[in-house]
Amino acid sequence: MDVFLDYLIQNWALILVLLAFVVMLIITVFLDKKTIIRMYVLIAVVFALSISVFFEFHLADLNQMTNVRIVLVAIRYSTIPIIISLILFALVKRTQWYVTIPALLLTVINVVSIFTGIVFSIDAEGNLRRGVLGYLPYVGVGAYCAFLIYILIKQSNRQASEIIPIIFLAFSFATGLLFPFIIGKEYSKIFCTTVAIALFVYYVFLILQLTKKDALTGVLNRQAFYSTAHNNNKDITGVISIDMNGLKKINDTLGHLAGDEAIIAVSSCFTKATKFKQSVYRIGGDEFIILCKKTSEEELLKIISDIKKMVFSTRYSISIGYSFRSDETKDFDEMIKDSDLMMYEDKAAYYKQKEIKEEQEEKTVEV
């Protein structure tokens, strides 16, 4: 009973955070079922690790059951990279199960170390010692964390509101890697709480971001566009208006699923062509706007050129227009109108050219 109370006292903050996490997952409507299940597994693993760590240090304080303790050390060293791989598996889209393979290999090495001491061992006085591969668990976790942060940044819309939570997550993981060398082994007692709090805070940020994102394409939605357009448009020097050509025909002949695939394909071209200073918004069915902050006209034209090349490599077509201002003398709403007007002119030219081509093909068939 005393041991149970000691665990509750040491891990009560962790338990509350994990319970809050579970409640948030139960009431959320933004995540798909598969992602939610992965998050539940992650929560369960973190909770199990906290129990394992508690008993490991409890036995160390008593200097008893060395054989059991060394197994618990192996579990701790193995579970941490597994947790990071599960975070990667849960948070990053289209991540496959084999992302856990390095963590599983580290687990095998840790199990071998129980008998050989190549990673860790416990001496006659009950002190934990590092073996020749003693830093391997930290290197493995560090590599996982770096890869996770890289992928999250790559898949983001590169807005400050998205980058800041990722930086917070990176900072949390960095402390988890550095503090054991600064604080010592005592940090292991609060590692689970640190990870749980970091994940929960990032999850809250993630839910807030999902309210600004278009569910189909992942770019920013109409609500986010209005927010930026009316509250933060002083730094915007360029506007790009884009509309797909022939989406209705795709929907009518191939179905709306094919239409969704087309929208996803072209939106991917837009995000690849833009950088940190530009933001892509889906404001309608096949209508997109790119707002460019502190972007020169030369950069603007380069973005448009890159978009046209990328879309041309697909089987779809777009109409595109833009507007630029070098200072604030040109009103933002006027920029939107000019950009849309150029886009509509481009669309009219596209359909005119298509009509002429179809007439020529009909004449060729008649001949």
Side-chain angles (χ1 to χ4, degrees):
M1 191 66 179
D2 291 339
V3 174
F4 176 73
L5 289 176
D6 287 342
Y7 172 79
L8 285 180
I9 292 170
Q10 292 183 25
N11 294 277
W12 186 241
L14 169 68
I15 293 170
L16 288 179
V17 172
L18 293 181
L19 285 174
F21 216 149
V22 170
V23 171
M24 288 286 288
L25 289 172
I26 291 173
I27 64 176
T28 188
V29 294
F30 294 102
L31 298 179
D32 60 274
K33 186 176 181 180
K34 186 182 292 185
T35 301
I36 291 176
I37 292 173
R38 292 173 181 175
M39 297 296 277
Y40 280 139
V41 172
L42 180 58
I43 290 170
V45 172
V46 172
F47 179 64
L49 177 61
S50 70
I51 296 173
S52 176
V53 170
F54 171 79
F55 279 103
E56 176 198 336
F57 281 88
H58 180 69
L59 294 177
D61 293 337
L62 298 176
N63 197 14
Q64 294 177 353
M65 303 177 68
T66 304
N67 292 337
V68 175
R69 184 183 161 203
I70 199 167
V71 172
L72 293 175
V73 173
I75 291 173
R76 170 161 63 91
Y77 275 39
S78 302
T79 307
I80 293 173
I82 289 174
I83 287 174
I84 304 300
S85 68
L86 288 174
I87 294 171
L88 188 63
F89 195 47
L91 294 183
V92 179
K93 296 178 180 178
R94 297 181 294 277
T95 302
Q96 301 299 320
W97 65 269
Y98 45 75
V99 75
T100 60
I101 290 178
L104 296 177
L105 291 175
L106 288 172
T107 299
V108 172
I109 294 172
N110 289 325
V111 171
V112 172
S113 184
I114 294 174
F115 308 99
T116 63
I118 58 173
V119 179
F120 53 83
S121 61
I122 298 177
D123 62 21
E125 289 75 30
N127 298 315
L128 186 65
R129 302 294 184 186
R130 288 194 181 95
V132 292
L133 299 179
Y135 293 100
L136 182 61
Y138 298 95
V139 173
V141 171
Y144 261 128
C145 292
F147 183 64
L148 171 63
I149 300 304
Y150 167 75
I151 294 297
L152 288 176
I153 292 176
K154 186 177 180 181
Q155 291 190 357
S156 72
N157 284 314
R158 296 183 290 277
Q159 296 288 298
S161 56
E162 285 194 42
I163 298 298
I164 291 173
I166 295 174
I167 292 174
F168 168 79
L169 196 64
F171 173 75
S172 301
F173 289 151
T175 59
L177 289 171
L178 297 177
F179 277 14
F181 299 99
I182 300 172
I183 300 175
K185 65 178 184 178
E186 294 298 315
Y187 178 76
S188 300
K189 295 182 180 180
I190 60 171
F191 172 80
C192 292
T193 305
T194 303
V195 170
I197 292 174
L199 281 177
F200 183 73
V201 172
Y202 181 78
Y203 178 77
V204 172
F205 278 121
L206 181 65
I207 294 300
L208 292 174
Q209 287 304 315
L210 287 175
T211 63
K212 298 181 180 181
K213 283 188 176 182
D214 174 57
L216 179 64
T217 61
V219 302
L220 296 168
N221 59 21
R222 190 186 189 96
Q223 180 182 351
F225 168 74
Y226 285 137
S227 176
T228 303
H230 296 294
N231 300 324
N232 191 25
N233 63 41
K234 291 184 178 180
D235 291 335
I236 296 173
T237 57
V239 174
I240 302 174
S241 299
I242 307 171
D243 197 282
M244 280 192 67
N245 297 325
L247 180 63
K248 185 178 184 303
K249 184 177 181 181
I250 294 174
N251 287 331
D252 292 343
T253 57
L254 301 177
H256 287 277
L257 183 60
D260 288 346
E261 291 175 355
I263 292 172
I264 293 170
V266 296
S267 67
S268 176
C269 297
F270 308 153
T271 54
K272 289 178 182 176
T274 52
K275 298 178 180 179
F276 286 95
K277 295 184 291 183
Q278 298 95 36
S279 304
V280 183
Y281 302 82
R282 185 187 178 200
I283 60 171
D286 58 349
E287 301 172 27
F288 295 84
I289 279 184
I290 301 176
L291 299 182
C292 306
K293 293 183 178 180
K294 297 180 180 179
T295 302
S296 66
E297 189 169 13
E298 183 180 354
E299 290 176 301
L300 196 68
L301 295 174
K302 176 69 166 55
I303 293 168
I304 293 173
S305 175
D306 290 342
I307 288 174
K308 287 181 176 179
K309 289 177 183 177
M310 291 182 190
V311 174
F312 184 77
S313 66
T314 69
R315 51 180 175 168
Y316 308 112
S317 172
I318 60 169
S319 296
I320 192 166
Y322 80 95
S323 179
F324 175 78
R325 66 179 179 186
S326 57
D327 50 46
E328 293 183 27
T329 56
K330 191 173 186 179
D331 184 68
F332 177 76
D333 290 335
E334 186 181 352
M335 291 179 67
I336 296 291
K337 290 179 182 178
D338 291 345
S339 180
D340 285 347
L341 180 61
M342 183 184 293
M343 183 268 293
Y344 288 130
E345 290 175 351
D346 189 37
K347 184 176 283 290
Y350 167 80
Y351 282 110
K352 182 65 176 177
Q353 185 178 7
K354 185 178 181 182
E355 183 181 346
I356 294 172
K357 184 178 180 181
E358 288 174 349
E359 289 178 354
Q360 291 175 343
E361 289 176 351
E362 287 178 2
K363 290 178 180 179
T364 302
V365 171
E366 290 176 0
V367 172

